[in-house]
Amino acid sequence: MNRITQCMHGRGTVSSVMRHRHKPQTDVPSNYLAFSEKYRPVVFWNLTHRCNLSCTHCYSKSGPGRTTEGELTTTEVLGVIDDLADMGIPLILFTGGEPLMRADIWDLALYAKNRGLKMALSTNGTLITPEIARRIKDSGIEYAGISLDGAKAETHDRFRNSPGAFERTIGAFAACKESALRCGVRVTLTKENCRELESLVDLSLSLGSSRFCLYWLVPTGRGSDSYTRLQLDRDEVIEALGILYRKAKETDPTTMEFLTVDAPQDCIHLLASMEKDGSEDLADARELLESLKGGCSAGTRVANIDAQGNVFPCQFARSPEFLVGNVRDRPFSELWTDGTNPVLSRFREKQARFGGRCGVCTYRDLCGGGCRVRAHAVEGDFLAEDPFCFLAGASDSDPEVK
């Protein structure tokens, strides 16, 4: 995760991060969790693979045709919540599928709240009415990340394969605002919507979004089927990063923060842009990014539990080769702290012998070799270069910025 706003408007952030780094993660403000030295991860939990939509890029192949077969029962989920609470997990992000389709979502959230856990929700927003927004807020969920993949109804509805989805999603932001539930925009940028990025940012601000989180496409789930057709090229990536940088520069950091996900190398463009601008925050930004010791959080600060209880290093590392274990066989806390687990060991090895451009890149210590899931899916090799990296050369000392 590349925290653009925190780096760009970071005066005082470094001292705050360092002050919180050794505290229990449950006492660390959510905006500093990415910089924690602890390996108790934020858990992305796919409570169900059922969904009322069937989106083109869905990493879990969720949709109306999925059933409850094999899903963790309410009792099993409560047991996992107990384990996560005892472990001191800093945040659970309930996702899906569409998590609001799980009938016991309110019971699960209230139980987690009573166990002292912080929670967020990842949703397509189409089921959020004013009443549902109030229930989300009352259940203890503090934030809702709502997917919005187009500034126009035509674009969003086509991407979500559902006429009327845009209108219902826009209504979800109004409902959250009415209920004083903090919410943000989640965008997966592709060739079909990249020309609407600036308009999407403006729309997000008008909707009262507190966060603009841009996801890059990863070839997993249905995203694998459309990856070649939808993935951006180098020039499009650089243009998008330039727009985000400019918008973050213009936007009051207390109004909306900007982030990108699934490409740790984005931080290289950010630092180059700040250096070009002569930013007073450049030194602090570099120190913050260096504190991550390699940008990818998979297997360290991030974990995934799917609807059947399978544990993966992140929500996109879902192929059989990346299976850590299952919570039905062994508690999550034991799986995550098992130093002999071969999958976690691979993701945690920040000095691995990467191939291609990543193997000789001078920025590798900052980005950690990009996204290993993308390298594995596209190149067939976990240690191959990240094919999505925008850097023109292996040791590009002057990244292109716009």
Side-chain angles (χ1 to χ4, degrees):
M1 182 175 288
N2 186 39
R3 293 182 171 272
I4 299 172
T5 297
Q6 276 186 286
C7 289
M8 289 182 62
H9 303 277
R11 270 160 283 186
T13 302
V14 170
S15 60
S16 297
V17 166
M18 298 309 170
R19 189 166 63 249
H20 287 95
R21 293 196 83 186
H22 302 293
K23 290 183 178 181
Q25 283 183 300
T26 50
D27 296 336
V28 177
S30 59
N31 56 323
Y32 298 141
L33 284 174
F35 305 103
S36 173
E37 289 185 329
K38 307 296 183 182
Y39 276 3
R40 297 186 184 94
V42 170
V43 174
F44 288 73
W45 195 340
N46 302 90
L47 288 176
T48 181
H49 293 317
R50 288 170 290 148
C51 190
N52 58 320
L53 305 182
S54 183
C55 304
T56 302
H57 66 303
C58 182
Y59 67 84
S60 65
K61 293 188 177 181
S62 298
R66 302 297 292 266
T67 70
T68 62
E69 184 179 359
E71 288 184 358
L72 296 175
T73 66
T74 300
T75 299
E76 287 176 318
V77 172
L78 296 180
V80 176
I81 288 174
D82 280 332
D83 182 46
L84 298 182
D86 291 341
M87 186 181 176
I89 292 296
L91 176 71
I92 295 175
L93 193 147
F94 290 130
T95 182
E98 174 50 59
L100 293 176
M101 291 189 71
R102 180 141 178 161
D104 59 359
I105 180 67
W106 315 116
D107 297 327
L108 302 180
L110 283 170
Y111 189 82
K113 176 185 177 181
N114 291 334
R115 285 302 319 263
L117 287 165
K118 296 178 181 179
M119 293 168 290
L121 185 76
S122 179
T123 172
N124 62 46
T126 60
L127 302 180
I128 298 181
T129 63
E131 179 185 359
I132 294 297
R134 287 192 293 272
R135 293 196 72 177
I136 295 171
K137 174 82 171 180
D138 292 343
S139 73
I141 294 172
E142 300 175 5
Y143 172 83
I146 302 173
S147 297
L148 185 61
D149 290 303
K152 300 181 295 186
E154 177 186 1
T155 306
H156 180 81
D157 290 356
R158 182 177 64 247
F159 205 66
R160 297 275 155 182
N161 293 311
S162 177
F166 180 82
E167 183 178 351
R168 296 194 300 274
T169 299
I170 296 299
F173 285 95
C176 289
K177 185 175 182 179
E178 180 182 325
S179 299
L181 174 64
R182 192 168 71 89
C183 61
V185 165
R186 302 168 68 252
V187 179
T188 300
L189 205 67
T190 70
K191 286 186 177 295
E192 291 191 351
N193 62 1
C194 62
R195 300 304 172 199
E196 297 178 27
L197 178 57
E198 189 159 358
S199 297
L200 263 168
V201 173
D202 293 338
L203 175 59
S204 301
L205 284 165
S206 71
L207 293 172
S209 174
S210 65
R211 173 179 285 185
F212 189 89
C213 190
L214 186 150
Y215 284 75
W216 304 109
L217 190 63
V218 179
T220 183
R222 279 197 295 273
S224 296
D225 303 330
S226 57
Y227 184 79
T228 302
R229 176 173 60 88
L230 294 178
Q231 185 60 286
L232 302 179
D233 61 32
R234 177 178 181 268
D235 289 341
E236 290 165 332
V237 171
I238 292 173
E239 182 178 358
L241 290 173
I243 291 171
L244 288 183
Y245 179 81
R246 175 166 53 81
K247 285 294 190 179
K249 187 177 179 180
E250 298 170 353
T251 302
D252 182 342
T254 64
T255 300
M256 189 168 77
E257 67 169 327
F258 292 78
L259 311 89
T260 65
V261 180
D262 305 324
Q265 59 267 28
D266 290 350
C267 70
I268 311 304
H269 184 280
L270 174 60
L271 291 177
S273 299
M274 294 177 70
E275 184 172 11
K276 183 179 179 181
D277 273 355
S279 171
E280 296 178 6
D281 291 306
L282 177 60
D284 278 1
R286 189 178 299 277
E287 186 173 351
L288 282 174
L289 293 168
E290 288 175 348
S291 74
L292 294 175
K293 295 179 173 55
C296 181
S297 298
T300 56
R301 297 175 180 86
V302 166
N304 173 240
I305 304 175
D306 76 5
Q308 286 75 38
N310 295 310
V311 176
F312 299 98
C314 79
Q315 68 270 40
F316 300 108
R318 301 171 69 87
S319 61
E321 298 95 326
F322 300 144
L323 177 63
V324 175
N326 190 290
V327 297
R328 282 174 165 147
D329 302 323
R330 195 176 176 194
F332 177 90
S333 56
E334 290 186 13
L335 289 169
W336 200 253
T337 55
D338 183 354
T340 66
N341 186 282
V343 173
L344 292 177
S345 295
R346 294 180 83 187
F347 278 86
R348 290 171 181 174
E349 177 50 65
K350 297 300 184 182
Q351 299 301 319
R353 294 183 180 274
F354 298 126
R357 291 178 298 154
C358 290
V360 294
C361 183
T362 57
Y363 295 111
R364 194 181 68 183
D365 286 345
L366 272 177
C367 82
C371 176
R372 294 295 93 208
V373 175
R374 193 181 285 115
H376 180 267
V378 175
E379 306 292 342
D381 181 0
F382 182 82
L383 295 177
E385 66 181 51
D386 181 350
F388 186 63
C389 185
F390 64 87
L391 292 173
S395 57
D396 192 342
S397 60
D398 186 23
E400 183 178 349
V401 296
K402 292 183 178 181

